[in-house]
Amino acid sequence: MVTGVCSARACDAAQKAILSGQVAPSNHWRALEVVRAVETRELPESADLREAYQLLKAGEQ
């Protein structure tokens, strides 16, 4: 399934970006938007992506 492959690649790219530490605080809302979209679609990568986002937010403190 091409869509599944693209979704997995998009999730992987988003996770790498979030974990890179290079997402500016002013763009955290965009990262959350991606996480929510993945969760809404119930993709298998959603738990890992959510965890990466939570680590990003924890690093703010």
Side-chain angles (χ1 to χ4, degrees):
M1 168 184 256
V2 173
T3 303
V5 171
C6 290
S7 296
R9 288 182 183 163
C11 288
D12 184 55
Q15 185 176 7
K16 284 179 181 176
I18 290 170
L19 292 174
S20 74
Q22 300 297 311
V23 178
S26 61
N27 283 323
H28 286 189
W29 68 273
R30 290 183 189 266
L32 180 58
E33 195 172 71
V34 172
V35 172
R36 287 181 177 159
V38 170
E39 290 174 337
T40 298
R41 288 170 178 78
E42 298 179 357
L43 298 176
E45 299 85 0
S46 64
D48 291 339
L49 199 54
R50 170 60 71 172
E51 183 180 349
Y53 178 75
Q54 289 172 336
L55 289 170
L56 173 73
K57 295 304 286 182
E60 271 189 346
Q61 301 168 359

